[in-house]
Amino acid sequence: MTQLSAAQKQPVQGVRPSTDSSKALYGGKSTRRITVRDITAAKERGEKWPMLTAYDAMTASVFDEAGIPVMLVGDSAGNCHLGYETTVPVTMDEMTMLSAAVVRGTSRALIVGDLPFGSYQEGPVQALRSATRLVKEAGVGAVKLEGGERSHRQIELLVESGIPVMAHIGLTPQSVNAMGYRVQGRGEEAAHQLLRDAKAVQDAGAFAVVLELVPAELAGEVTRTLQIPTVGIGAGPETDAQVLVWTDMLGLTGGKVPKFVKKYADLREVMGSAAKAFAEDVVGGTFPLEEHSVH
């Protein structure tokens, strides 16, 4: 079992967290790549931090310039960009390509690459082989995989092999065929299982854990119990960090979005209006004009 280092221990109760803004994940002065050690230090300081998904170099570069400290190349790309109904069909080849693009588009953010369904469930050796691809071929700084107690051995081997792991419990979308899309951890037995899962991934050496669609009170309890940071998505305000799928956050997703999403822009309307304006100019003969022509 992996022992936690002194850097992973929680700050002493009653001691005021450091307010050195130069070390902050968001808005800090450092231009080097953020590492898992920085994530651990943020927990010690009591600093909350944002994480967004990214799937291409151009979008990732925008978020990097905005100071987003951690980006997840999620298998949610299957829903958002590849046209799949769920994340299940996403392949290692697709995740490697997308992760490499995000790495190339950034210079400061820690890039976490998702291990897709079927790439680690066979056991630790398969997980190591898959994670190694994302580290060597794509250049990610960490990987993410779903599952608590059931993924303990995979996480342990990856960490022992030098690959940082972000765990993911609660709603695990790769298991949609078994559990559906519903809140996890409701009821005493389910809450105890979620706590066991959280402790299992910490004991295995994960540097952080995503809590998805978990009751806010339970997510707060998990956050207070663990020494590693928690990343919430639909898990209330008490987690150490928050993550959203960027197409939801910027209003690009069509149709209904989850209740926990806050839309910060309406890119779908902006892009649609721009496309219509372009089409009308072409049909009406007002584009291109002389100033758009090469001689």
Side-chain angles (χ1 to χ4, degrees), residues 24-38:
L25 294 182
Y26 176 74
K29 296 178 181 179
S30 173
T31 56
R32 61 169 174 78
R33 282 279 182 189
I34 288 170
T35 69
V36 296
R37 292 171 63 87
D38 298 313

Side-chain angles (χ1 to χ4, degrees), residues 52-66 68 71 81 101-102 105-106 246-247 249-250 252 267:
L52 286 173
T53 63
Y55 316 107
D56 65 90
M58 186 174 294
T59 304
S61 70
V62 173
F63 295 159
D64 205 43
E65 291 171 7
I68 300 300
M71 291 183 219
H81 291 281
V102 171
T106 58
W246 85 260
T247 52
M249 185 271 293
L250 288 176
L252 192 59
L267 289 193

Side-chain angles (χ1 to χ4, degrees), residues 1-4 8 147-149 151-160 163 165 167 197-207 228:
M1 186 176 294
T2 303
Q3 296 295 318
L4 291 170
Q8 290 177 298
E149 289 182 325
S151 296
H152 180 279
R153 293 183 303 118
Q154 285 93 325
I155 295 171
E156 198 165 48
L157 179 59
L158 295 188
V159 173
E160 288 175 353
I163 299 176
V165 177
D197 284 336
K199 291 175 182 177
V201 300
Q202 175 175 267
D203 290 345
F207 74 90
I228 61 174

Side-chain angles (χ1 to χ4, degrees), residues 137-209:
E137 298 178 31
V140 301
V143 301
K144 182 176 77 65
L145 55 77
E146 296 182 359
E149 289 182 325
R150 63 184 167 87
S151 296
H152 180 279
R153 293 183 303 118
Q154 285 93 325
I155 295 171
E156 198 165 48
L157 179 59
L158 295 188
V159 173
E160 288 175 353
S161 301
I163 299 176
V165 177
M166 178 179 284
H168 184 155
I169 63 175
L171 173 65
T172 49
Q174 292 175 9
S175 303
V176 61
N177 292 327
M179 67 169 56
Y181 289 106
R182 58 189 178 86
V183 175
Q184 302 297 305
R186 280 182 174 158
E188 185 175 352
E189 182 178 347
H192 284 319
Q193 181 59 56
L194 191 108
L195 281 165
R196 287 195 297 270
D197 284 336
K199 291 175 182 177
V201 300
Q202 175 175 267
D203 290 345
F207 74 90
V209 58

